[in-house]
Amino acid sequence: MADLILTVSSNSSRELSGINYLKELSTKAVGSAHSRRAYELAIDEFIAWSLEDGKIRLTAKTLQEYQGYLMQRTNPSGQPLAPSTVNVKMAAVRALVHSAATAEWITEQDEEQILKRLKSRPVQGRRQGHRMPLEDVKRCLQLPDRSKIQGKRDYAMLGLLFSCGLRRAELCSLDVKTIGKLGGGWALVDLVGKRRKVRSIPLEDPIKQGIDEWLAAAQITKGRIFRAIRKNGKPWGTGLDEEAVLRMVRRYAALVGHENFAPHDARRSCARIYYDAKAPLEQIKYMLGHDKLDTTAKYVNDEQKFGEGAVTKVVDIS
């Protein structure tokens, strides 16, 4: 089996370009911007750890040693890294090996032999995530000061997260032209989500009104719906960063007693609220853009077998 050893020198951009090229290949196919940043960070951590005498050794032995190092590492609170955290970091390193094979720097047989010797850590149980009850969701939606432009934007964003179950990336990429008429009401029409899946989601009237108020105040007629806001209250740029969405959601959620609440927790909350209102799981699955019913069952935190007898019930989240 061939070992791949990359030379890294601060005096030569040509020598650095090899590992940078592999890193770019490794993150290019990752879906969301958030996941890409996680992969980039994990690869940088591996490079910093493995760098010795100006060389990076991408070998089965080195990768096994690195996996052992991660399993012994502790987080800032002194606890060992969770198995899921180790697995994510090693997934990025595996992607690096695959990129080396894609670039034909090692053979596919070498890739197979290297990856065969790396096993994922078993994860005990699964992360349930947080879910905000309907009463707290309504309180949260009352917090933005809608007399101000930022409050108008924040209300519209929170409304879409809680009532439509959008992913953070979907919210940031939402385009004005996505809003249209569907079945006599307003909806997000032909929304392109994860893995390029297309779905349409009805909009509650208060949420649609909130979006209209924001668009009018920000004077946005095309392009991305949500933009950054300067300190002087003026919108700017052509979009919004996902980290800004995270900070916004956590700020309002903390005010109603939910610390460390993430945008994806709003998605879980949306699923559970509709499920508690007797919405069919199939409809919730379609709204969230899931491939499998089992995934949706995990979001509502109920893994029983579902029948066909559920009835639709309108939920006034707003």
Side-chain angles (χ1 to χ4, degrees):
M1 181 175 66
D3 289 337
L4 177 61
I5 299 178
L6 300 174
T7 302
V8 178
S9 169
S10 59
N11 298 323
S12 172
S13 58
R14 184 176 177 219
E15 291 171 342
L16 275 171
S17 65
I19 194 65
N20 287 336
Y21 174 64
L22 290 188
K23 180 178 172 182
E24 182 181 350
L25 276 182
S26 303
T27 58
K28 190 174 183 180
V30 179
S32 71
H34 178 73
S35 298
R36 281 195 296 274
R37 285 193 295 270
Y39 266 48
E40 288 171 357
L41 179 60
I43 291 172
D44 286 341
E45 288 178 355
F46 169 71
I47 292 171
W49 175 86
S50 64
L51 192 61
E52 181 182 346
D53 300 327
K55 298 180 185 298
I56 298 171
R57 292 167 172 80
L58 201 63
T59 67
K61 181 175 182 295
T62 300
L63 268 56
Q64 283 182 311
E65 290 175 353
Y66 183 62
Q67 187 174 38
Y69 158 75
L70 290 177
M71 292 168 67
Q72 297 299 318
R73 254 183 66 181
T74 57
N75 58 27
S77 61
Q79 299 297 318
L81 295 182
S84 58
T85 301
V86 174
N87 290 342
V88 168
K89 292 181 181 294
M90 290 306 299
V93 176
R94 287 187 179 89
L96 200 65
V97 175
H98 178 67
S99 296
T102 301
E104 298 184 347
W105 292 357
I106 59 174
T107 67
E108 291 183 0
Q109 290 75 18
D110 291 337
E111 176 193 7
E112 183 180 351
Q113 289 300 315
I114 291 173
L115 298 183
K116 186 183 292 185
R117 293 170 64 178
L118 295 175
K119 296 182 179 179
S120 297
R121 291 197 66 187
V123 178
Q124 300 298 324
R126 57 176 173 77
R127 183 177 183 270
Q128 300 291 337
H130 302 290
R131 289 166 188 81
M132 189 182 293
L134 180 58
E135 295 74 17
D136 288 347
V137 170
K138 290 185 174 183
R139 289 171 56 206
C140 194
L141 288 172
Q142 292 172 357
L143 291 173
D145 183 356
R146 295 171 66 182
S147 67
K148 298 179 180 178
I149 190 168
Q150 181 166 339
K152 296 180 191 296
R153 184 200 68 178
D154 291 355
Y155 171 79
M157 290 168 62
L158 288 170
L160 285 167
L161 290 170
F162 280 116
S163 70
C164 296
L166 297 186
R167 300 177 177 92
R168 204 186 330 181
E170 292 171 344
L171 184 73
C172 290
S173 62
L174 204 60
D175 196 280
V176 171
K177 64 185 179 182
T178 307
I179 299 177
K181 283 283 191 176
L182 184 69
W186 291 100
L188 302 178
V189 181
D190 293 339
L191 173 69
V192 180
K194 195 173 182 180
R195 291 186 292 278
R196 307 298 297 173
K197 289 189 65 176
V198 178
R199 66 192 193 277
S200 298
I201 308 173
L203 285 175
E204 296 180 15
D205 289 340
I207 304 304
K208 171 60 166 60
Q209 181 181 345
I211 296 171
D212 289 343
E213 290 177 2
W214 153 250
L215 292 175
Q219 298 181 343
I220 296 172
T221 58
K222 61 181 180 179
R224 300 285 174 86
I225 291 178
F226 297 110
R227 316 287 174 91
I229 299 175
R230 297 184 189 275
K231 291 183 179 179
N232 62 6
K234 299 291 185 182
W236 69 281
T238 58
L240 191 65
D241 185 83
E242 290 183 31
E243 290 302 313
V245 178
L246 174 62
R247 292 192 297 269
M248 183 274 296
V249 169
R250 283 192 170 168
R251 182 172 72 253
Y252 287 111
L255 293 175
V256 294
H258 294 266
E259 299 290 339
N260 298 319
F261 193 85
H264 216 79
D265 294 323
R267 183 169 158 85
R268 294 186 182 93
S269 302
C270 172
R272 184 70 206 194
I273 288 169
Y274 281 109
Y275 177 63
D276 287 342
K278 308 304 181 186
L281 200 69
E282 275 287 355
Q283 289 185 9
I284 300 173
K285 168 181 171 287
Y286 176 79
M287 179 180 68
L288 298 181
H290 286 157
D291 289 321
K292 298 179 180 178
L293 207 60
D294 288 347
T295 305
T296 310
K298 292 176 182 178
Y299 271 63
V300 302
N301 199 19
D302 193 341
E303 296 185 23
Q304 64 181 330
K305 297 299 180 182
F306 300 91
E308 300 296 328
V311 295
T312 304
K313 179 179 176 181
V314 175
V315 184
D316 182 13
I317 288 180
S318 55

